Amino acid sequence: MNINPLLQIKALGQSIWLDYIQRNMLENGEVARMIKEDGLAGITSNPAIFEKAINEHHDYDDAITSLTHRDTPPNEIYETLALEDIARAAELFRPLYDESNGRDGFVSLEVSPHVAYDTQQTINEAERLWAALNRPNVLIKVPATQAGLPAITHLLAAGININVTILFSLERYRQVVDAFLAGMETRVAQHKPVDHITSVASFFLSRIDVLVDKRLDELVQITGDKSVSALRGKAAIACARLAYQYYQQWIRDNRWQSLSSHGARAQRLLWASTGTKDPAYSDIKYVEPLIAKDTINTMPLETLNAYRDHGQPAVRIEQELDESGSLLEKLHQIGIDLEAVGEQLEGEGVQKFSVPFDKLLERIKQW
């Protein structure tokens, strides 16, 4: 009998989460089956995911109709539906959360993309959502914008679980780690417990390759130098491998060891945006090379199904480390600065969530 590759990943120490949520899947037993048979350990959501679930399915029609008859504003209708789904998912994952002593079984809900550049509004919304859900196995998603960084520190110090999202570059990842450590240090200094607080840093991958590949193709057109095409499809994995190296570095540092002695849990890296966007690449491109202990991969349903079908799990994340470093240097030499790429993708990432969020509210308004 063949062993499910997703369960093999679990045995290697990586947690598999689903980057999708839909009410019917929560109610018909599909998520419960995936927890049991695939070792599914969590769910992530975002405004684009909710827009897709609500607009493309009829699971929510009755609830929206009922709420509109009560003259509920569109944004409150969205939030009501989202909170109901997240609460239901958190209940399904609660036994896993308890069994794993808080390592797994998390469900993530994102603050509105419209507050991504406002620290105080981010704090206010995160605190409100956290209080409304009132469950220990929920993560509130906060974008890793410059305005988001102090919000992350504040919220962790307040004892709120945080999923740091829209993260695209190594330098910003270092800043995220610093924000995490500062939040935990504030809490320790206040003599408050830290052993129950969870945070993950969601490093987005496929979008890096989409943008870098586009620029490489443009360079070929401009210069006629086809050799740069050999760099296509390599930037995201290289960034992920180097981010994991930094993770291993900071968890050995005295600053973290001091927090760990108080029972703090390390902020795990989460590989996000792992659905392959270029059909020329493998449909499990952002899963196979990045299996590593104490990391998470949140996959769209299509990617998760593909990996179950033909994944070949092994720990490969520390392969080609020298090549990863030299790749970034090669890209820089031809005018592609991955920190600048990250800045552009951050802005586009906020926009990619704002547009479907507004589209959903407009649809509800016209119900």
Side-chain angles (χ1 to χ4, degrees):
M1 180 180 175
N2 292 331
I3 300 174
N4 184 337
L6 295 166
L7 294 178
Q8 290 178 272
I9 287 181
K10 179 181 178 182
L12 292 170
Q14 184 176 69
S15 300
I16 297 302
W17 293 4
L18 177 65
D19 194 25
Y20 186 64
I21 193 167
Q22 184 196 331
R23 184 158 296 189
N24 188 47
M25 292 176 65
L26 300 171
E27 295 177 344
N28 68 8
E30 186 171 358
V31 170
R33 178 194 61 75
M34 293 168 74
I35 294 171
K36 181 180 179 182
E37 297 179 8
D38 296 326
L40 187 69
I43 278 181
T44 48
S45 70
N46 60 51
I49 285 173
F50 274 113
E51 187 269 334
K52 180 180 173 68
I54 294 171
N55 274 344
E56 295 184 8
H57 303 277
H58 295 290
D59 308 10
Y60 303 86
D61 290 3
D62 291 344
I64 294 173
T65 299
S66 174
L67 289 164
T68 53
H69 285 164
R70 290 182 238 160
D71 294 325
T72 309
N75 62 317
E76 289 185 24
I77 292 177
Y78 158 76
E79 193 168 291
T80 298
L81 299 175
L83 288 171
E84 287 173 354
D85 279 5
I86 296 297
R88 175 65 179 133
E91 289 169 12
L92 288 172
F93 281 101
R94 182 60 188 266
L96 176 59
Y97 172 83
D98 292 335
E99 290 162 16
S100 66
N101 192 30
R103 172 185 165 82
D104 281 317
F106 287 93
V107 185
S108 297
L109 177 64
E110 190 152 352
V111 297
S112 165
H114 293 304
V115 304
Y117 300 113
D118 188 311
T119 301
Q120 192 57 52
Q121 284 192 50
T122 296
I123 290 170
N124 294 346
E125 180 150 337
E127 289 178 339
R128 184 172 55 76
L129 294 172
W130 174 255
L133 286 161
N134 192 29
R135 287 168 171 82
N137 61 326
V138 165
L139 292 159
I140 305 300
K141 293 177 83 171
V142 174
T145 57
Q146 283 292 349
L149 295 171
I152 291 160
T153 297
H154 177 96
L155 293 164
L156 287 166
I160 295 174
N161 296 334
I162 298 298
N163 178 341
V164 182
T165 187
I166 314 185
L167 171 58
F168 293 96
S169 77
L170 291 167
E171 180 55 36
R172 185 52 57 88
Y173 173 51
R174 293 185 186 99
Q175 294 171 355
V176 165
V177 170
D178 192 62
F180 162 74
L181 295 172
M184 303 301 275
E185 286 166 343
T186 297
R187 197 164 171 86
V188 166
Q190 295 171 345
H191 305 291
K192 294 178 180 177
V194 291
D195 57 343
H196 64 290
I197 301 170
T198 296
S199 181
V200 300
S202 295
F203 207 111
F204 282 52
L205 299 175
S206 64
R207 294 184 197 171
I208 296 174
D209 281 340
V210 169
L211 182 52
V212 171
D213 287 0
K214 180 172 179 283
R215 294 191 182 177
L216 289 169
D217 293 343
E218 289 168 351
L219 277 171
V220 172
Q221 291 293 320
I222 294 167
T223 66
D225 181 3
K226 295 182 180 179
S227 68
V228 299
S229 293
L231 304 177
R232 292 182 95 260
K234 295 181 177 180
I237 299 298
C239 287
R241 284 184 162 136
L242 294 172
Y244 185 67
Q245 288 298 298
Y246 183 67
Y247 164 80
Q248 291 187 307
Q249 178 184 325
W250 70 259
I251 61 170
R252 292 193 297 265
D253 190 80
N254 288 338
R255 186 179 180 191
W256 169 248
Q257 291 300 319
S258 175
L259 288 167
S260 181
S261 70
H262 287 87
R265 301 170 184 264
Q267 182 188 63
R268 285 191 286 170
L269 270 165
L270 179 152
W271 310 126
S273 185
T274 56
T276 304
K277 293 179 170 56
D278 187 332
Y281 299 146
S282 163
D283 56 0
I284 54 174
K285 175 180 175 64
Y286 302 103
V287 184
E288 200 83 308
L290 298 178
I291 297 167
K293 186 180 179 183
D294 296 329
T295 61
I296 303 159
N297 194 312
T298 185
M299 306 182 201
L301 189 58
E302 299 81 4
T303 306
L304 189 144
N305 289 337
Y307 203 86
R308 186 196 299 113
D309 178 69
H310 51 268
Q312 297 186 351
V315 176
R316 305 179 180 93
I317 196 165
E318 295 193 312
Q319 296 177 0
E320 302 177 17
L321 281 176
D322 290 343
E323 293 89 334
S324 295
S326 63
L327 175 77
L328 270 61
E329 182 58 32
K330 288 175 186 174
L331 290 171
H332 187 74
Q333 287 171 358
I334 60 174
I336 300 176
D337 180 349
L338 287 179
E339 292 305 320
V341 166
E343 286 183 27
Q344 179 177 334
L345 289 171
E346 178 186 292
E348 291 177 0
V350 173
Q351 186 71 7
K352 282 179 186 291
F353 289 153
S354 297
V355 171
F357 182 72
D358 292 342
K359 180 181 172 185
L360 176 57
L361 294 185
E362 190 59 34
R363 167 103 194 278
I364 291 172
K365 193 184 298 183
Q366 295 169 358
W367 201 269

